[in-house]
Amino acid sequence: MSEIVTPALIYVAGALLTPLIRHHALRGLFLLAVPLVALASFIALPFANYGTLPFLDLRLGFLRIDALSYAFALIFSLAAFLALLYAWHVRDKVEQVSTLLYAGAAIGAVFAADLVTLFIFWEGTALASVFLIWSRRTEGAYHTGLRYLAIQIGSGLLLLVGIILHYQQTGSIAFERMELGSTATWLIFLAFGIKCAFPLLNNWLQDAYPAATLTGTVTLSAFTTKLAVYALARGFAGTEYLIYIGAAMAVLPVFYATIENNLRRTLAYSLNSQLGFMVVGIGIGTPLALSGAVAHAAASTIYQALLFMSVGAVLYRTGSDKASELGGLARSMPLTFLFCIVGAFSIASVPLFSGFVTKSLVVSAAGSGGYFAVWIALTFASVGVLAHTGIRIPYVMFLGADRGLKVAEAPRHMLVAMGLASALCLAIGVWPQLLYAYLPHPVEYRAFSLGHVVTQLQLLAFAGLAFALLMRRGVQPTSLRSINLDTDWLYRRFLPGLVGILAYHVRDAWRGLARFSYYRLERMLVAVYSTHGPQGLLARTWPTGSMVLWIAVLLGITLSLAYL
């Protein structure tokens, strides 16, 4: 095995040492050092395969560094640092250890050169991340964590079966591009789709993320789904199905996010919509589209984390993340408000903010590739995200009706984390080449062309005007206490109810069958008793002549049958 090992081991070592550090400040500094040390371990390495390990008849690769894995590892390292800084106040060692293991598993999966190594770290992310939900220590979080774990482990089992079948068919476990032409590749594709929150497979995201701790949600937003985006880009780039799956992903969450009262769940829907842009880019598969998908994954990781941080800071100070219970916090939390605006402008693709220079790569690739309907869907989703996240979230928390909440500004470490994330959003938005330089393919794209800027400003103006008109009519922003039904109702309510009804009828039918069988058995026993019992027909004394007659009859019948 090469002396160079996967950075995931640094995270694992950090997780093992963390509980031994008793002083809170020293433990916080140690936690912040882990992602920096892990980053330093690979940042200067040339692109190559390192860290191979023989296993049975296979050869596992733990450190494949190329343009794609390098880009995702960089953004994951940065996200881990920001999440740990934001969670400086957390004293729960379980949450701190699970954060390190979760980030390490995600980075380990990104560097995996084969499907077996990918599976190991794939399941590692599932097992580590569930403790970010359970760390909230409520009954609801416990049950949500079980649902989340079941779905994530299910994704891993599909991946494992797919890997076994793929090895049987090809004799290889290399993690390279695959074609959807066999049961194996379809199972692997479905496993990736579950983790990426494809339509109808997405509700674990909106169920789990708001149930985690306020710092755990920030961490969750960075890794699980982006790891799936990486896996799709590595294994299924250019698969046309992904274009239409991604378009549906971008559009459908818009409607749910618009009416959702829980702001962290609103951001979960928003994250799901942003994933759709990445999936479209992977499906198109051209160099521009793939680079756009990676660029948008990087930008989205930062600005989604920033938005979750701002909502988390409000939750930390007020105890609520419900739109119906918040409002008028701009004076109490001005810096948090400012950082929230940066995140909102970034996700809305306002010029000079990060989303503007990344999302446009995918939209342009869709337009130039002739996917007009998909281009329309992505444009609609871009307008929708401004309404439900770009305007609504800052408005209902900071500018809406004053609820009489008098709170302090967010803690200093949260402000520093949000400030760094905001600086990155602005830096990427103003100097996109800072990000473009790390993309898998060279990007020759003028993000600030006059046509692009004017078109985007027109869309933003239209969305803003629509929001203003709806606000005057009292339709927006929605701040009603409500529970909105999503497709998870099918497996959380409908299917259990259906199983209950079927169980009732099966039980009723079984009881009826048992009663009928008992009745028939009883009648048979009575008939046997009446014939063979003490008073039965066969128990009587028969005259000798009658017996001889019956014997002669039976003998005649037997002889007749013998001669036929």
Side-chain angles (χ1 to χ4, degrees), residues 116 119 154-166 187-188 191:
V116 174
F119 168 76
S155 168
L157 289 176
L158 290 174
L159 178 60
L160 178 60
V161 175
I163 292 170
I164 294 172
L165 294 177
H166 184 71
L187 288 174
I188 295 172

Side-chain angles (χ1 to χ4, degrees), residues 266-296:
T266 297
L267 289 177
Y269 279 117
S270 178
L271 188 157
N272 204 169
S273 178
Q274 297 305 295
L275 292 170
F277 287 83
M278 305 168 209
V279 172
V280 168
I282 295 168
I284 294 173
T286 62
L288 177 63
L290 283 174
S291 292
V294 176
H296 198 52

Side-chain angles (χ1 to χ4, degrees), residues 41 57 88 102 163 178-180 203 278 324 370 380 382 387 397 419 428 439 443 464 466 489 508 510 529 537 542 549:
S41 71
D57 294 332
W88 177 273
Y102 181 33
I163 292 170
M178 294 169 276
E179 295 286 347
L180 286 177
N203 298 114
M278 305 168 209
S324 57
F380 172 80
S382 297
M397 286 199 303
I428 293 171
L439 299 181
V443 175
W489 177 83
D508 192 54
W510 179 260
Y529 185 82
L537 182 65
W542 291 78
L549 176 62

Side-chain angles (χ1 to χ4, degrees), residues 120-341:
I120 294 171
F121 288 114
W122 191 269
E123 290 296 78
T125 61
L127 295 174
S129 60
V130 72
F131 288 96
L132 299 176
I133 302 171
W134 285 339
S135 291
R136 199 171 182 183
R137 292 177 171 81
T138 64
E139 184 177 357
Y142 171 74
H143 291 293
T144 301
L146 287 179
R147 290 192 297 270
Y148 171 84
L149 186 61
I151 292 172
Q152 297 301 314
I153 294 297
S155 168
L157 289 176
L158 290 174
L159 178 60
L160 178 60
V161 175
I163 292 170
I164 294 172
L165 294 177
H166 184 71
Y167 179 69
Q168 289 177 342
Q169 294 167 4
T170 66
S172 172
I173 59 170
F175 186 21
E176 303 290 350
R177 188 180 183 280
M178 294 169 276
E179 295 286 347
L180 286 177
S182 66
T183 302
T185 53
W186 273 106
L187 288 174
I188 295 172
F189 182 78
L190 182 58
F192 292 172
I194 292 173
K195 222 174 187 72
C196 196
F198 280 3
L200 304 182
L201 303 174
N202 64 298
N203 298 114
W204 62 266
L205 194 159
Q206 290 83 21
D207 183 33
Y209 284 18
T213 64
L214 65 91
T215 52
T217 302
V218 175
T219 309
L220 286 169
S221 71
F223 298 112
T224 297
T225 53
K226 304 306 188 307
L227 173 58
V229 168
Y230 164 80
L232 288 170
R234 174 72 68 185
F236 295 99
T239 301
E240 191 171 7
Y241 290 118
L242 289 174
I243 300 174
Y244 306 104
I245 291 173
M249 288 175 67
V251 171
L252 294 178
V254 169
F255 302 101
Y256 290 100
T258 303
I259 61 175
E260 179 58 55
N261 185 44
N262 185 307
L263 296 182
R264 290 201 292 174
R265 185 168 287 114
T266 297
L267 289 177
Y269 279 117
S270 178
L271 188 157
N272 204 169
S273 178
Q274 297 305 295
L275 292 170
F277 287 83
M278 305 168 209
V279 172
V280 168
I282 295 168
I284 294 173
T286 62
L288 177 63
L290 283 174
S291 292
V294 176
H296 198 52
S300 175
T301 299
I302 301 302
Y303 64 64
Q304 290 282 173
L306 175 56
L307 288 167
F308 275 112
M309 286 179 189
S310 62
V311 175
V314 170
L315 173 61
Y316 182 78
R317 287 306 192 197
T318 66
S320 176
D321 56 2
K322 306 293 191 300
S324 57
E325 300 173 0
L326 298 172
L329 293 174
R331 292 185 177 180
S332 300
M333 307 179 72
L335 292 177
T336 303
F337 173 45
L338 176 63
F339 297 141
C340 183
I341 289 293

Side-chain angles (χ1 to χ4, degrees), residues 476-495:
Q476 286 284 359
T478 52
S479 302
L480 301 177
R481 292 182 177 88
S482 61
I483 297 176
N484 300 316
L485 298 180
D486 202 342
T487 52
D488 61 336
W489 177 83
L490 293 174
Y491 65 81
R492 294 180 63 180
R493 293 294 183 183
F494 176 74
L495 288 181

